[in-house]
């Protein structure tokens, strides 16, 4: 809002619009999905705190009767200072997630109006849909499987949103549509096979310490490793898993993706290029109180790191090799040069005709998601806008 002159006319702020682009939910049947065809925005952190003095009016209602520290099943609730200034955040030194209340998080600006504000990260991500679908189709032919299954292994979820930890060999739309179930799983822990390791049983509990159901490289596992062992666990010992999850929760994001551009005619089973160049993709937005420890940490040390998470993969090698690699969806090659080598490598696991895992190494010669712009911003509170910044 521009301030007014004494005559009541708006004064120029000196800023002007140089580019305008509108994002929107995609039309059916892709409503709620991104351009590659996958349901988006399923896994979000819950936030501790109340809306009023009424103890039942919670920011994140508790819907998991078996875990009071979760909202919906699988949704851990975190202290609000991870996302908004002026409140307690997570304690990075805590031994358990249940006892992880930390100090009040300050913006460091020594200005009271910065409280209730947040840092906003924006990225404009172009998606080459045909190129991605062509890769799925080509590798599916090589692996003698369905392209949608290859996609599920790279992402960690089927197009419906059903997690591969719970249904590794076939999509289960009823599970994907159930937000009391589609996020209810962990990674580390024992879940012994019954007959076939890749059973499609949608009844919890489920875990996947081996990385066979949800590969260690899968997008959902690389961006949010849940209770996987990580470098933050402090090394082998009785507290490694608990400490890993405690530190993982200090790197979370409140995020939203909004598609831009028209829907592609391409599908995984029938990759089709556009007759002419079409710019489509995702507007990615994320709130946090530390860009360095949240967005940049996840991007640099998890997504773009082909050795993450070595701690989780050790002990689950295939033919003596750790089944690691880049995030195949948004990961960037370490040879990150405009005209350099963009090759990325990663391992996935499929079921053979005996119901046992077969591990394959895949190579992607180029990127399917291309960052084309973005920025870091401070998002002030409504009261700061009203009472301070527009005076």
């Amino acid at each position: 809002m521009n301030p007014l002159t004494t005559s009541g006319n708006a004064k120029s702020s000196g800023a002007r619009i140089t580019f305008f682009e509108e994002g929107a939910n995609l039309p059916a049947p892709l409503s709620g999905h991104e351009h590659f065809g996958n349901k988006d925005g399923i896994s979000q952190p819950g936030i501790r705190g109340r809306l009023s003095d009424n103890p039942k009016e919670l920011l994140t209602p508790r819907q998991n009767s078996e875990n009071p520290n979760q909202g919906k099943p699988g949704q851990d609730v975190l202290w609000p200072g991870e996302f908004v200034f002026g409140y307690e955040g997570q304690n990075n030194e805590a031994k358990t997630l249940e006892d992880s209340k930390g100090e009040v998080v300050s913006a460091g600006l020594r200005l009271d109006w910065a409280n209730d504000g947040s840092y906003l990260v924006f990225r404009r991500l172009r998606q080459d849909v045909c190129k991605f679908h062509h890769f799925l189709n080509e590798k599916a032919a090589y692996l003698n499987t369905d392209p949608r299954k290859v996609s599920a292994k790279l992402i960690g979820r089927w197009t419906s949103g059903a997690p591969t930890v719970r249904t590794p060999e076939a999509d289960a739309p009823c599970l994907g549509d159930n937000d009391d179930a589609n996020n209810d799983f962990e990674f580390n822990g024992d879940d012994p096979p019954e007959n076939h390791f890749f059973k499609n049983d949608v009844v919890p509990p489920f875990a996947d310490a081996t990385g066979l159901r949800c590969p260690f490289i899968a997008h959902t596992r690389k961006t949010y490793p849940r209770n996987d062992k990580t470098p933050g666990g402090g090394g082998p010992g009785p507290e490694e898993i608990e400490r890993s999850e405690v530190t993982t929760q200090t790197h979370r994001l409140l995020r939203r993706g909004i598609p831009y551009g028209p829907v592609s005619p391409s599908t995984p089973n029938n990759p089709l290029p556009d007759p002419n160049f079409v710019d489509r993709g995702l507007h990615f937005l994320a709130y946090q109180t530390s860009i360095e420890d949240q967005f940049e940490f996840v991007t640099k040390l998890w997504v773009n790191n082909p050795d993450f998470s070595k701690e989780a993969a050790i002990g689950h090698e295939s033919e003596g090799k750790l089944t690691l690699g880049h995030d195949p969806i948004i990961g960037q090659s370490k040879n990150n040069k405009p005209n350099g080598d963009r090759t990325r490598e990663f391992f996935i696991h499929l079921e053979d005709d005996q119901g046992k895992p077969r591990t394959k190494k895949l190579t992607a010669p180029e990127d399917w998601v291309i960052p084309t712009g973005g920025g870091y911003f401070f998002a002030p509170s409504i009261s700061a806008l009203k009472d301070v910044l527009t005076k």
Side-chain angles (χ1 to χ4, degrees):
M1 183 174 71
N2 290 328
L4 302 180
T5 65
T6 54
S7 63
N9 297 319
K11 291 192 297 185
S12 172
S13 65
R16 61 188 179 89
I17 297 173
T18 59
F19 178 77
F20 178 85
E21 183 171 69
E22 188 172 357
N25 189 19
L26 296 179
L30 287 178
S31 179
H33 295 60
E34 45 74 50
H35 280 292
F36 288 154
N38 299 285
K39 193 170 185 177
D40 196 23
I42 296 174
S43 177
Q44 294 277 8
I47 302 177
R48 293 183 183 274
R50 298 175 181 173
L51 295 170
S52 71
D53 292 335
N54 185 337
K56 294 184 179 180
E57 291 189 349
L58 302 175
L59 280 169
T60 300
R62 305 301 191 267
Q63 297 174 242
N64 186 354
S65 59
E66 297 181 2
N67 190 338
N69 294 295
Q70 292 187 346
K72 295 174 181 177
Q75 181 189 37
D76 292 314
V77 288
L78 308 181
W79 293 98
E82 294 298 300
F83 312 108
V84 181
F85 291 112
Y87 300 91
E88 294 90 349
Q90 295 292 116
N91 178 6
N92 193 51
E93 301 299 323
K95 291 186 177 181
T96 66
L97 191 59
E98 291 72 19
D99 185 28
S100 59
K101 183 178 181 179
E103 301 291 328
V104 172
V105 180
S106 168
L109 301 176
R110 297 184 180 180
L111 299 171
D112 290 341
W113 62 260
N115 287 336
D116 291 308
S118 181
Y119 290 134
L120 171 65
V121 170
F122 168 69
R123 293 186 93 195
R124 184 180 185 274
L125 304 173
R126 179 182 297 154
Q127 293 176 259
D128 193 324
V129 178
C130 179
K131 189 179 293 184
F132 179 60
H133 288 168
H134 177 76
F135 177 85
L136 299 180
N137 199 270
E138 180 183 66
K139 298 306 177 184
Y142 161 66
L143 297 168
N144 191 29
T145 190
D146 189 286
R148 291 166 295 184
K149 185 179 290 186
V150 178
S151 174
K153 300 299 181 180
L154 300 184
I155 293 170
R157 293 184 184 272
W158 296 86
T159 56
S160 72
T164 59
V165 170
R166 294 186 57 170
T167 176
E169 288 297 300
D171 197 355
C174 61
L175 173 60
D177 291 338
N178 184 350
D179 59 4
D180 279 331
N182 61 18
N183 203 37
D184 188 14
F185 62 93
E186 293 283 9
F187 290 129
N188 196 57
D190 294 323
D191 188 22
E194 297 175 5
N195 298 324
H196 288 187
F197 188 91
F198 292 89
K199 58 182 179 179
N200 293 311
D201 182 355
V202 297
V203 179
F206 272 91
D208 185 35
T210 61
L212 291 174
R213 291 193 179 103
C214 180
F216 294 114
I217 57 87
H219 173 66
T220 55
R221 195 163 190 161
K222 292 280 276 188
T223 55
Y224 177 33
R226 298 179 185 247
N227 68 340
D228 255 346
K229 295 177 183 178
T230 70
E239 298 180 352
E240 183 179 15
I241 295 174
E242 286 274 15
R243 286 283 302 131
S244 291
E245 187 167 20
V246 165
T247 56
T248 288
Q249 297 297 351
T250 66
H251 307 302
R252 301 295 304 282
L253 304 167
L254 275 180
R255 57 186 173 78
R256 182 63 69 200
I258 305 172
Y260 73 85
V263 173
S264 170
S266 180
T267 68
N269 291 89
N270 186 26
L272 289 175
D274 295 290
N276 300 298
F277 173 76
V278 175
D279 192 358
R280 61 172 63 86
L282 197 74
H283 294 155
F284 171 87
L285 300 103
Y287 287 100
Q288 62 261 280
T289 50
S290 174
I291 294 175
E292 180 181 5
D293 290 336
Q294 289 168 275
F295 172 75
E296 289 187 347
F297 186 100
V298 171
T299 302
K300 293 179 180 179
L301 300 182
W302 291 355
V303 169
N304 291 347
N305 180 4
D307 294 324
F308 179 80
S309 175
K310 181 171 64 175
E311 288 76 7
I314 289 174
H316 307 295
E317 294 86 351
S318 173
E319 298 181 350
K321 295 181 179 180
L322 295 174
T323 56
L324 297 170
H326 294 89
D327 179 326
I329 307 302
I330 63 172
Q332 300 287 304
S333 168
K334 62 183 178 182
N335 298 314
N336 195 9
K337 301 176 182 178
N339 298 311
D341 182 6
R342 308 298 301 163
T343 300
R344 295 170 296 153
E345 297 176 334
F346 30 78
F347 290 85
I348 67 169
H349 315 283
L350 299 166
E351 183 181 30
D352 66 16
D353 56 8
Q354 302 298 315
K356 296 181 180 180
R358 57 188 177 109
T359 301
K360 294 293 182 179
K361 181 180 180 180
L362 302 183
T363 299
E366 47 195 346
D367 301 318
W368 311 303
V369 176
I370 303 96
T372 59
Y376 294 164
F377 306 92
F378 179 77
S381 66
I382 293 174
S383 60
L385 287 171
K386 180 180 178 182
D387 300 331
V388 180
L389 301 178
T390 57
K391 292 294 186 180

